[in-house]
Amino acid sequence: MRPIKAINARVAPDMAAPLAVAPETALARLEALATRAGEYAAEAQARNTRRAYQRALRAFGRWCADNGLPGGGDGLPVLPTPPELVAAFLVARADTGRAVASMALFLSAVSDAHRLAGLPSPVSDPALQRVWAGIRRSRGRPPRQAYPLNVRELRVMILAQPWGLKSVRDRCAMLLGFAAAARPEELVLIEVEHLKPLDDGRLLLTIPRSKTDQESQGQTVVIPRGSDRVTCPVAALEDWLAVSGLAGGPVLRGVQYGQLTANRLWPGDISKILKAAARRAAFPKKVVEKISAYSLRRGLATTARKQGRSLDSIQRQCRHRNVATTLRYVATEELVKSECAAEGIGL
């Protein structure tokens, strides 16, 4: 074995190579790569999440300004934010009846903003955590759930629409969203290329990105062909593609002055479509108020359970990670009809 001195002699300081200066083209390329790195970093969160965080932080910034407290640029709060200030904002929101879910979103936004700035999060402060625990305990209530639309109601809504390009699109949106149990942000991302006809007449839909698929691996669901052409999701899609002439790109696009636009719909447009259709169908006002874009997803889960489909099959179609989430989507009136483990055991 060679002595250590002999090995060290091979890397003597005076043998170091001179420092090379990168040419301007190389520097420009590195700057471009750094810009792309920032773009990839931004995609680490869903676009809707980033928007929700920005709205929550700006609401906090406005509250600070209204109370004479300094604010940051673009209406955002100053960082680092003292935990006492965050606690005061939570108390103010709780006392005005704000939902616990919206306050939880605000805390996530504050924590995320500090993390990105390389600062310790005030959310982990023990005193703030005790305030937050008290708010959740005293103000917590079951989340408001969307009205579960059923097939009969969808049929009435579709038939009540005035005939035209927009009504064909809206029928496609309603039935495709219902059959796929699609979240609104998933529904508007569907493109023609994501739909594959099967030999038996059904469709295989690939949902490119979703809440439970943050890395965009893709999730697939089967879209069945219905027995009633009015409510058949495959027929609705075929009719829409035929009248729109779409051969690729986003399926659900805007219609303006009777003409198709190149812009895909926004998630919020799905709720507007459903509410407008329900009003045309003369649904009671209290029902219309409860209808949202999630009425399709929850409606599929409730209807399927009512027709005797297993929770496992509903879980797969909704792409839930666990059955507890599926149970929250099934309307209570359907759950109470299901088998009860405490019945028929000799009590």
Side-chain angles (χ1 to χ4, degrees), residues 45 49 53 56-57 101-115 121 123 132:
Q45 288 176 328
T49 300
Y53 282 1
L57 291 174
S102 70
M103 289 184 278
L105 175 68
F106 160 69
L107 288 177
S108 296
V110 169
S111 183
D112 185 70
H114 283 76
R115 179 180 59 82
S121 172
V123 177
W132 176 227

Side-chain angles (χ1 to χ4, degrees), residues 27 120 145 171 191:
L27 290 175
Q145 292 188 310
R171 171 176 168 243
E191 300 190 355

Side-chain angles (χ1 to χ4, degrees), residues 11-28:
V11 290
D14 56 356
M15 296 177 64
L19 181 65
V21 179
E24 292 184 3
T25 53
L27 290 175

Side-chain angles (χ1 to χ4, degrees), residues 65-82:
D66 292 342
N67 286 274
L69 299 168
D74 198 21
L76 297 172
V78 175
L79 300 181
T81 306

Side-chain angles (χ1 to χ4, degrees), residues 35-50 116:
T35 301
R36 290 289 294 145
E39 293 171 357
Y40 279 123
E43 291 298 323
Q45 288 176 328
R47 186 176 301 176
N48 287 342
T49 300
R50 297 198 300 270
L116 292 176

Side-chain angles (χ1 to χ4, degrees), residues 4 22 45 53 141 206 212 219-220 239 262 272 284 313 316-317 339:
I4 294 178
Q45 288 176 328
Y53 282 1
R141 56 181 180 270
T206 298
T212 54
Q219 297 175 319
T220 56
D239 291 345
K272 294 176 183 177
S313 67
R316 285 197 306 271
Q317 194 75 3
E339 181 183 13

Side-chain angles (χ1 to χ4, degrees), residues 216-234:
S216 304
Q217 298 298 309
Q219 297 175 319
T220 56
V221 292
V222 173
I223 306 299
R225 189 174 285 276
S227 57
D228 183 343
R229 199 180 193 289
V230 174
T231 55
C232 172
V234 177

